[in-house]
Amino acid sequence: MSIFKPRRKMVVNREVQYDVLMYVGVFIVALFIVQVFTAYLFLDQVQRVVGTMSALEFIARYKISFLVYQIIPVSFSLIVGVYIFNRLTSRIAGPLFNMRRILQKARNGELETAEIKLRENDYFQEEINDINVILKRKSD
């Protein structure tokens, strides 16, 4: 018996998985760029006085501006990232929620004509269309 089982390579829905990876990658790159830009602004501000003070004086004098240069852009990036990921995950969770709700109602016999409706930009369009065909056959 082996300790590690070989991992299966499985892509369930290329559109969903690759979009999520792309958005995560873009978010990480954007956060890195914001960090580099703010560090450059901070270094440009203190470059003139670095040689004239000790490290303790430097930290005591510029810790607030360094924190401001870091906290504001990173907070803005995180807020934008949360908004984007919320929109992205609603395109995933919405269809799954609707599918589960309609399938439960169809199972309980509460719907005569069960059809799962999706928004235009939701993921899983093909899969839901296949399920709708099956539901339509069952109701006929």
Side-chain angles (χ1 to χ4, degrees):
M1 181 173 176
S2 80
I3 296 174
F4 298 105
K5 294 181 181 178
R7 185 173 183 192
R8 290 183 280 161
K9 294 181 180 178
M10 185 149 94
V11 176
V12 176
N13 189 320
R14 289 182 191 275
E15 180 185 19
V16 174
Q17 288 174 300
Y18 293 158
D19 277 0
V20 169
L21 288 175
M22 187 228 8
Y23 282 118
V24 167
V26 167
F27 178 71
I28 290 171
V29 168
L31 194 58
F32 176 75
I33 289 171
V34 166
Q35 287 287 85
V36 169
F37 182 69
T38 57
Y40 176 76
L41 288 177
F42 177 72
L43 290 176
D44 187 50
Q45 177 188 4
V46 297
Q47 188 174 14
R48 296 175 294 261
V49 295
V50 168
T52 62
M53 60 176 65
S54 70
L56 286 175
E57 291 172 332
F58 176 77
I59 291 171
R61 184 169 180 186
Y62 289 103
K63 68 181 172 189
I64 300 299
S65 79
F66 180 73
L67 287 175
V68 167
Y69 275 133
Q70 291 298 309
I71 289 174
I72 291 173
V74 170
S75 298
F76 178 74
S77 298
L78 289 175
I79 289 169
V80 169
V82 166
Y83 174 76
I84 290 171
F85 286 117
N86 184 38
R87 302 261 312 171
L88 178 67
T89 55
S90 71
R91 291 177 59 196
I92 297 169
L96 296 176
F97 176 78
N98 285 336
M99 179 181 63
R100 181 173 182 224
R101 182 177 51 84
I102 295 295
L103 289 177
Q104 284 178 346
K105 286 183 178 181
R107 181 186 67 198
N108 296 335
E110 297 174 15
L111 292 175
E112 292 181 14
T113 57
E115 182 180 358
I116 303 168
K117 294 183 172 82
L118 299 179
R119 296 172 294 222
E120 186 177 316
N121 63 348
D122 279 344
Y123 291 118
F124 306 114
Q125 296 282 342
E126 294 175 6
E127 291 83 2
I128 298 298
N129 288 338
D130 292 342
I131 292 172
N132 281 335
V133 168
I134 293 169
L135 290 172
K136 193 174 269 190
R137 283 185 195 162
K138 184 179 178 186
S139 66
D140 291 342

